[in-house]
Amino acid sequence: MPTISVDKAALFESLGQEYTTEEFDDLCFEFGIELDEDTSNSDRPVINGNQEPAQLKIEIPANRYDMLCFEGISLMLNIFRGKTSSPNYRLVAPPDGELQTLTAHEPTSRIRPYVSGAILRNVMFTQERYESFIALQDKLHQNLARQRTLVAIGTHDLDSIQGPFTYEALPPEKIEFVPLNQTKQMNGIELMKFYEKDKHLSRYLHIIRDSPVYPVIFDANRVVCSMPPIINGDHSKISATTRNVFIDITATDKTKAEIVINILVAMFSQYTQEPFAIEPISIISKHNHESRQVPDLTPRETQAEVSYINDCCGLSLSAEEICKLLKRMSYTAQPSQASSNLLDIQIPPTRADVLHQCDIMEDLAIAYGFNRLPRSFPSKSGTVAQPLMINKLSDIVRLEAAMAGWSEVMPLILCSHDENFSWLNRKDDGKTAVKLANPKTAEYQVVRTSLLPGLLKTVRENKHHSVPIKIFEVSDVAFKDTSLERKSRNERHFAAAWYGKSSGFEVVHGLMDRVMLMLKSAFITSEEELEGQGVEDSTYWIEEVDDPTFFPGHAASVHLQIGGKEKVIGVFGILHPTVLDHFELRYARHLLPRFRPFVALIH
């Protein structure tokens, strides 16, 4: 979790109260943050002949991006203590009524496709506020923006540049400007070489270095404002005397971009001449249909159940009492007109971490006081102590396979596209496998649709062990399913592989029979005195099947019938020679007898 250092005297002045270290530690605990250190009694560095002021080092939860600066901490603590109300963020048009525009050109889709921004007009910076503004950008870059790979922030003195602005992607040799705090003009290639050994900026160069085009933002006079995500131009740099700030956001993730701009303007709009007033800008991006006015500071509306909140916290609060407590956490809430068990809640634009009513329940518990929550053990429990049926069934299958002498393996759920399809002699119809949008390696491209690749790779890596090798896995596979909200579904599968000098048909068939017997399903056979008795008319049998993964004439499907309904639940057989070749499981005949992997799959 990030740790934020704030000036102790300034924070207590903002809170309107002096605290001892113990008292402030208690306040932090009540709010759900943690005081890590108070440097009042420590040796502090001397800067320009003056000792550094006492600092409070506060540990912030990883999801609270709105508290990554002095302004956010003081504002949230004051709202929690009832000293101030939740801010009303407003979008205010410029004096001339014409919004500044930022036009995105189509080539930007090749490198950083999304852009956003805003203007803070008539900001009253002091040196401390200015330094906090810069520090918040750095914190957002390191945390939410993932080292600038997802989002990059640029801030400019609006009085030194002129709109309308354009966001373009050009070859690096065609981008020329004076970088921030430099005096020499450079093009994109020279800039990359210049900052190769810079301790701060060198870590970001790889993001765009190998791209044929670099992103760049120009003003109306073709003055370079910034080359994201590397550096701003020196021409438009801001300082503590800047009054009007133009903020640009470029991103590969639109959601993260909107979160970043909302937090940035919300925290520092309190210093504008008209507090919490933000000037929007107009984004023109016709090529990807992202034209819009930004930022969008409209509170998100949701609902929460009174009974859910009370049950989780062990309370019996009325809807009105819950609404009053949620106000301490910066929510706007009121009892719903639709139902007495519902609350209509407005989530502030700075709280992107609130995704479900469980998040609202947690904030209610903080507002009520964790130490005041009723304690009851073991007469009450928040969960039912029993496994999910699918997990219980999986454990039964695992236990039976293990007791039969088979070893469980747990390969990775990701595999390459070839391993999942062509190496198994299967075709990809484009509607089966969940694919990674931007895989880092060819080894991890899709979510497996079969347990077979993992088993065969496990055998391949353990061929030096004595044979036979008998392994199994009980785990999930994934399939595309456009009828579901997440467009995919998980299925729990069971698979086993036998690798030895003989066919091992009777070994694998015996494992399948044992598992089905423990699942109370009887095998149907034409041989006398071998009929079994299943539960609820549960029977199974095998039929020859033509499956390209297996050797022709050496594969069978497993059919299950329950309550008169028949379903194919699996397949087993001897693997096809081409599958063996792909997974390097065939041996030269003059060295050893050919090993015969025999695979049983029960879905």
Side-chain angles (χ1 to χ4, degrees):
M1 293 191 293
T3 300
I4 311 300
S5 295
V6 296
D7 187 293
K8 180 178 180 179
L11 181 60
F12 288 175
E13 180 182 356
S14 176
L15 297 178
Q17 182 177 342
E18 292 291 326
Y19 291 90
T20 64
T21 301
E22 292 74 17
E23 289 172 341
F24 188 72
D25 190 22
D26 290 341
L27 175 62
C28 289
F29 177 81
E30 290 176 9
F31 189 67
I33 57 181
E34 183 178 347
L35 177 62
D36 197 39
E37 183 183 357
D38 182 353
T39 65
S40 300
N41 300 320
S42 305
D43 291 333
R44 304 191 297 278
V46 176
I47 302 175
N48 297 328
N50 298 316
Q51 189 177 40
E52 180 187 66
Q55 301 286 307
L56 295 173
K57 297 183 179 180
I58 304 173
E59 197 171 89
I60 305 298
N63 62 315
R64 292 301 300 266
Y65 302 112
D66 58 321
M67 297 183 69
L68 290 176
C69 60
F70 170 92
E71 290 71 18
I73 294 173
S74 63
L75 178 62
M76 292 302 114
L77 288 179
N78 274 328
I79 295 174
F80 179 72
R81 295 161 60 243
K83 298 296 183 180
T84 187
S85 58
S86 184
N88 177 27
Y89 301 104
R90 304 179 309 284
L91 297 179
V92 179
D96 60 3
E98 292 290 330
L99 297 182
Q100 292 284 4
T101 62
L102 177 54
T103 302
H105 291 195
E106 187 171 355
T108 57
S109 298
R110 301 170 60 186
I111 185 163
R112 297 179 79 82
Y114 302 108
V115 64
S116 186
I119 293 173
L120 293 177
R121 209 172 273 278
N122 296 318
V123 181
M124 292 171 281
F125 279 140
T126 62
Q127 187 62 34
E128 292 76 16
R129 294 173 180 176
Y130 169 75
E131 291 174 358
S132 180
F133 185 57
I134 300 300
L136 176 59
Q137 295 177 54
D138 288 338
K139 289 290 184 182
L140 290 172
H141 276 149
Q142 302 308 313
N143 291 276
L144 186 62
R146 297 292 186 269
Q147 303 287 345
R148 302 191 187 182
T149 56
L150 300 181
V151 180
I153 308 168
T155 53
H156 315 278
D157 186 342
L158 184 59
D159 296 330
S160 65
I161 50 181
Q162 181 180 348
F165 302 93
T166 58
Y167 174 44
E168 304 177 25
L170 301 175
E173 62 273 13
K174 293 186 178 181
I175 302 173
E176 294 188 356
F177 67 106
V178 179
L180 184 65
N181 297 326
Q182 301 297 323
T183 57
K184 179 184 175 182
Q185 181 168 293
M186 310 177 195
N187 64 28
I189 297 175
E190 294 168 339
L191 184 143
M192 286 292 178
K193 293 180 179 179
F194 181 79
Y195 285 110
E196 276 181 348
K197 297 182 180 179
D198 187 278
K199 290 193 299 182
H200 177 58
L201 292 179
S202 60
R203 73 185 77 168
Y204 308 120
L205 300 182
H206 72 277
I207 301 174
I208 63 171
R209 183 197 292 274
D210 297 329
S211 173
V213 292
Y214 289 179
V216 60
I217 295 179
F218 293 102
D219 79 343
N221 299 316
R222 303 297 290 177
V223 172
V224 173
C225 300
S226 65
M227 190 179 80
I230 309 302
I231 198 167
N232 295 338
D234 188 72
H235 179 86
S236 60
K237 69 179 179 182
I238 66 171
S239 66
T241 59
T242 298
R243 291 282 289 169
N244 300 304
V245 180
F246 171 64
I247 304 170
D248 71 68
I249 302 288
T250 58
T252 58
D253 186 315
K254 180 183 176 182
T255 300
K256 297 289 193 300
E258 303 301 347
I259 294 173
V260 166
I261 190 63
N262 286 352
I263 290 174
L264 201 57
V265 298
M267 292 302 102
F268 285 88
S269 59
Q270 58 185 287
Y271 297 138
T272 56
Q273 191 172 32
E274 184 181 349
F276 304 112
I278 298 99
E279 181 179 318
I281 67 171
S282 178
I283 300 296
I284 302 174
S285 185
K286 296 180 180 179
H287 64 278
N288 58 358
H289 309 290
E290 291 293 340
S291 298
R292 65 201 187 280
Q293 179 178 296
V294 292
D296 181 6
L297 297 175
T298 307
R300 288 184 293 131
E301 295 185 354
T302 188
Q303 289 185 323
E305 297 172 346
V306 175
S307 58
Y308 173 83
I309 293 174
N310 280 326
D311 288 346
C312 291
C313 298
L315 303 172
S316 56
L317 301 175
S318 66
E320 290 74 15
E321 290 172 321
I322 293 176
C323 292
K324 186 176 180 181
L325 288 171
L326 288 177
K327 190 176 180 180
R328 298 184 65 192
M329 303 303 294
S330 199
Y331 294 95
T332 301
Q334 61 183 12
S336 175
Q337 299 295 324
S339 171
S340 59
N341 190 44
L342 291 177
L343 301 175
D344 293 328
I345 299 174
Q346 290 186 336
I347 304 170
T350 55
R351 292 297 306 276
D353 60 297
V354 179
L355 304 175
H356 186 270
Q357 64 174 344
C358 66
D359 300 307
I360 298 171
M361 176 272 295
E362 180 185 7
D363 282 341
L364 182 280
I366 293 173
Y368 185 84
F370 279 131
N371 287 334
R372 295 177 55 209
L373 291 176
R375 303 181 183 184
S376 53
F377 180 84
S379 61
K380 292 183 180 180
S381 174
T383 59
V384 178
Q386 64 180 14
L388 295 173
M389 293 304 296
I390 185 65
N391 291 335
K392 187 174 182 179
L393 176 62
S394 300
D395 289 341
I396 292 174
V397 174
R398 285 191 182 99
L399 183 61
E400 292 304 321
M403 289 195 299
W406 296 67
S407 300
E408 184 176 12
V409 297
M410 291 185 288
L412 299 175
I413 64 171
L414 298 179
C415 63
S416 73
H417 183 273
D418 287 344
E419 289 169 350
N420 197 70
F421 290 105
S422 63
W423 285 17
L424 298 178
N425 295 336
R426 295 173 179 172
K427 295 182 180 180
D428 181 10
D429 60 3
K431 301 177 182 179
T432 304
V434 177
K435 301 178 182 179
L436 275 65
N438 185 28
K440 297 301 181 184
T441 67
E443 191 175 1
Y444 308 120
Q445 295 174 317
V446 299
V447 182
R448 62 186 179 183
T449 60
S450 168
L451 300 182
L452 190 50
L455 290 178
L456 296 182
K457 287 194 291 183
T458 301
V459 173
R460 180 187 66 193
E461 300 303 323
N462 292 275
K463 288 186 296 187
H464 61 281
H465 285 286
S466 60
V467 294
I469 296 175
K470 300 190 294 182
I471 58 176
F472 76 92
E473 182 183 7
V474 182
S475 191
D476 282 356
V477 296
F479 297 94
K480 283 185 179 179
D481 191 339
T482 56
S483 65
L484 301 178
E485 180 185 3
R486 296 293 181 182
K487 308 304 180 185
S488 67
R489 73 178 190 279
N490 283 14
E491 286 186 7
R492 185 69 51 86
H493 283 198
F494 164 63
W498 189 94
Y499 184 73
K501 296 180 180 180
S502 60
S503 70
F505 180 89
E506 70 283 356
V507 180
V508 177
H509 201 320
L511 173 64
M512 182 186 70
D513 287 342
R514 178 60 182 171
V515 170
M516 297 302 290
L517 175 63
M518 296 309 297
L519 296 177
K520 308 298 183 184
S521 185
F523 183 58
I524 297 178
T525 177
S526 59
E527 298 182 42
E528 295 181 0
E529 300 180 357
L530 289 181
E531 289 292 347
Q533 185 63 40
V535 174
E536 295 181 355
D537 192 27
S538 173
T539 57
Y540 75 98
W541 65 95
I542 61 175
E543 296 179 6
E544 183 177 346
V545 67
D546 183 15
D547 189 318
T549 301
F550 301 99
F551 197 79
H554 291 73
S557 57
V558 183
H559 295 249
L560 177 68
Q561 181 172 290
I562 300 179
K565 295 183 179 180
E566 177 188 341
K567 186 175 183 180
V568 177
I569 62 170
V571 62
F572 65 96
I574 298 175
L575 289 174
H576 197 282
T578 58
V579 175
L580 300 179
D581 285 338
H582 288 142
F583 287 92
E584 302 173 13
L585 293 178
R586 295 193 69 178
Y587 288 79
R589 290 180 183 274
H590 66 278
L591 293 177
L592 287 172
R594 184 168 65 88
F595 282 24
R596 304 186 71 185
F598 190 97
V599 178
L601 298 176
I602 300 177
H603 297 177

